[in-house]
Amino acid sequence: MSEHNFEATMNFSIDTCQMVELPKISDPRGNLTFVESQRHIPFGIQRVYYLYDVPQGSERGGHAHRALHQLLIAVTGSFDVHLDDGREKKTVHLNRSFQGLYVCPMIWREIDNFSSGAVCMVLASAYYDESDYYRDYPEFCKVANP
Ligand code: TYD
């Protein structure tokens, strides 16, 4: 397991978003990976949701969150996550069940290039709350990069 010093970089820029190597218990019977709140990720998990049966060419995301922390995992298959903090952009390809992408608050994200059968599991720090979303990109940029 690799340790991350999240506190040192908790300024909600694109550099705060990082790949997290999760524990992988290899076994001839099949591998096992787990995620523990505050240990492997810098937040407590209050909600889990997943995207699946995503049609080819489809895009998800297209929003940012005011306060939500998330970990995205390609449980099966692969996809691209485009991150944007209002100043810089980067794209991360997720394709390993034992890796997660930590996405801090105030990051615009778009997810595309889903492989057939891909499942994107998201661990989130809070219950669903529509008022936590920025769904308008210019509005997000005004706040993120005033
Ligand atoms: P949204 O977050 O926009 O999806 P994505 O980022 O994956 O493209 O959510 C799509 C719809 O689902 C929207 O109407 C809100 C609803 N929703 C919930 O009710 N609960 C949830 O936990 C999530 C993530 C979404």
Side-chain angles (χ1 to χ4, degrees):
M1 185 190 85
S2 62
E3 297 290 337
H4 296 274
N5 185 358
F6 288 106
E7 297 304 324
T9 57
M10 196 58 81
N11 62 356
F12 299 160
S13 80
I14 210 165
D15 295 330
T16 312
C17 301
Q18 54 188 280
M19 290 296 292
V20 178
E21 201 81 8
L22 298 166
K24 179 180 174 188
I25 313 295
S26 297
D27 190 307
R29 299 170 301 160
N31 300 330
L32 183 152
T33 283
F34 58 96
V35 187
E36 293 180 344
S37 291
Q38 311 288 4
R39 284 191 171 168
H40 306 124
I41 51 176
F43 61 87
I45 301 162
Q46 202 161 42
R47 176 169 52 114
V48 178
Y49 67 92
Y50 33 97
L51 303 170
Y52 55 99
D53 290 348
V54 179
Q56 204 177 11
S58 198
E59 292 178 8
R60 302 294 314 219
H63 56 71
H65 289 279
R66 289 173 165 81
L68 193 71
H69 299 254
Q70 294 177 305
L71 187 81
L72 278 60
I73 302 171
V75 174
T76 301
S78 64
F79 47 83
D80 293 335
V81 186
H82 308 280
L83 302 170
D84 177 349
D85 63 10
R87 294 174 299 277
E88 286 183 82
K89 299 174 199 263
K90 74 176 174 190
T91 295
V92 179
H93 184 66
L94 290 186
N95 63 350
R96 296 276 184 264
S97 316
F98 55 87
Q99 290 175 339
L101 174 64
Y102 168 62
V103 181
C104 65
M106 294 304 291
I107 302 292
W108 190 270
R109 90 291 310 274
E110 287 168 12
I111 312 173
D112 62 13
N113 195 25
F114 285 87
S115 67
S116 169
V119 177
C120 171
M121 185 169 74
V122 183
L123 314 182
S125 63
Y127 296 137
Y128 170 73
D129 174 9
E130 185 60 36
S131 69
D132 184 63
Y133 282 72
Y134 288 101
R135 292 197 184 271
D136 181 67
Y137 185 68
E139 184 200 349
F140 164 73
C141 287
K142 266 193 228 161
V143 178
N145 188 16

